[in-house]
Amino acid sequence: MPQTTVQCPRCRQPVGADVQQLFDNAVDPAAKQRILSGAANFIQCPSCGYQGMLATPIVYHDPQKELLLTYFPPDLRMGVNEQEKLIGPLINQVVNRLPLEQRKAYLLRPRTMLTFELLMETILEADGITKQMIEDQQKRLNLLQKLISTTPDKLKDAIKNDEALIDVDFFNLLTRLVEASLAQGDQNSAQKLAELQKTLIAETKVGQEMQTQAKEAEEAVRSLQEASKNGGLTREGLL
């Protein structure tokens, strides 16, 4: 994507940026991930150090979910007619790219997103990820950051205070972060997360239940292995 020169929102100095206004999954399967990652239209100003998302109109299209969404940043302070002049050609691109048999009624009713957050929530909701699920995951991330920064002498009390938020999904998140740290070669972070996981298993009810289930599974596998050594696995032996 060719770079465009834009003004920094803070110091008004020229900044090179990759500006994308149309995210069309019909022709670009990576469009959804790019907009959800927050990396799209992200600028860094070498003059004042500003970092953030460039205020620019956005059209998002997903033909499989029949989504045609538009977002116009309030910071641009343009009237409805001016907005339509900018958004209209982008919508026309979406329609013109589709074969006639794929042009459905939803294309005639683009949905206006008042905020960028609402745009992302609508995209995720179409995938079965609700706003409540997003908020719950954010709570888990916030708690995880809090526990990591807590000193060892206060960790058990911190866990006890927020144990209601520590569930199986919390442990799944922790495991994924350990794996991601190892994949990136960050042994220090992986070790800290693994130590936190060990403490959580010992200090929380759900952790102890998971540990018990793991031991029962190991015992079951061991029993099956023993049975296979002693004459093979018969139906009676398996039962």
Side-chain angles (χ1 to χ4, degrees), residues 11 23 39 53 64 72 80 83 102-103 105 114 160 162 173 190 192 199-200 210 215 220 225 227 232 237-238:
C11 69
F23 296 81
M53 186 176 176
Q64 291 186 342
F72 204 94
V80 175
Q83 292 182 26
Q102 294 182 20
R103 299 179 186 179
L114 298 179
K160 187 177 296 184
D162 290 304
L173 172 63
K192 287 182 179 179
T199 303
L200 288 169
M210 291 171 61
K215 288 180 179 178
Q225 289 173 340
L238 181 58

Side-chain angles (χ1 to χ4, degrees), residues 220-234 237-238:
V221 170
R222 191 178 301 112
S223 298
L224 290 173
Q225 289 173 340
E226 289 297 325
S228 65
K229 292 177 182 177
N230 300 323
L233 277 176
T234 63
L238 181 58

